[in-house]
Amino acid sequence: MKLKNFLKKAICSVPIVVVRSILLLCIYLSLGLVARAATQQRKITVSGIVTDSSGEPVIGASITEKGTSNGTISDVKGHFGISVSSTAILQISFIGYRTEEVTASPAKTSLKVILTLIPQHYYKIFFLST
C-alpha cells in the first residue's frame, strides 16, 4: 500500500511537460530506427566470369562497386565474386579494354562480362629524348 501511494505521488509530481518530452523522445527514437532499417540496402553476392571478345578469360580484371572502394579482381580463369548492395553498379575494367558497367540485382547475381579491346588508334605513344 505504501509503495502504491509512493508511485502515485512520484508520477503525479512529475510535470506534464517532462512526461510529454520523454514520450516524444521515445517516439522519435523508434521512428529513427525504423527509417534507418528501411534505408539500409540488402547485400548480395555477385559472381561471374570476365572474358574478351574471343572467349578467353581476362586475368586480373578489376571489378568495383561504383562510388565505393569495394572491389576485387578476376582469377586465372576469369572468375570473380563480390558482395555488394542489391542495387549496385559494377564497373569491370582492364588495361586496353573498354570499361563495362553492369547493374546488380537479387535476380541477376551470376554475370558473364565480355570486354572489348580499345582500337589502337586511341593509343598515342610519345618518346622524349634528352
Side-chain angles (χ1 to χ4, degrees), residues 2-129:
K2 289 182 182 181
L3 180 62
K4 189 176 181 181
N5 288 335
F6 172 76
L7 289 175
K8 278 184 181 178
K9 287 180 182 179
I11 291 172
C12 291
S13 66
V14 175
I16 193 74
V17 174
V18 173
V19 174
R20 283 184 188 165
S21 298
I22 291 172
L23 194 58
L24 286 174
L25 179 64
C26 290
I27 292 170
Y28 176 75
L29 290 175
S30 64
L31 288 176
L33 292 174
V34 169
R36 183 170 183 213
T39 58
Q40 278 185 339
Q41 293 182 351
R42 213 178 89 211
K43 290 277 190 176
I44 58 172
T45 300
V46 177
S47 59
I49 184 167
V50 182
T51 62
D52 62 12
S53 56
S54 65
E56 293 296 315
V58 177
I59 302 167
S62 172
I63 298 94
T64 56
E65 183 177 1
K66 189 174 184 176
T68 71
S69 59
N70 183 23
T72 189
I73 59 170
S74 59
D75 65 12
V76 295
K77 294 182 180 178
H79 295 274
F80 69 91
I82 186 170
S83 180
V84 296
S85 68
S86 60
T87 58
I89 296 174
L90 295 178
Q91 293 180 314
I92 301 94
S93 61
F94 192 72
I95 296 172
Y97 290 86
R98 292 179 201 254
T99 299
E100 296 290 330
E101 288 191 355
V102 180
T103 303
S105 71
K108 193 164 135 184
T109 58
S110 183
L111 303 174
K112 180 171 172 115
V113 181
I114 300 171
L115 296 180
T116 55
L117 280 170
I118 296 173
Q120 287 184 343
H121 68 272
Y122 286 119
Y123 294 111
K124 292 184 180 178
I125 301 173
F126 295 97
F127 292 98
L128 300 175
S129 61

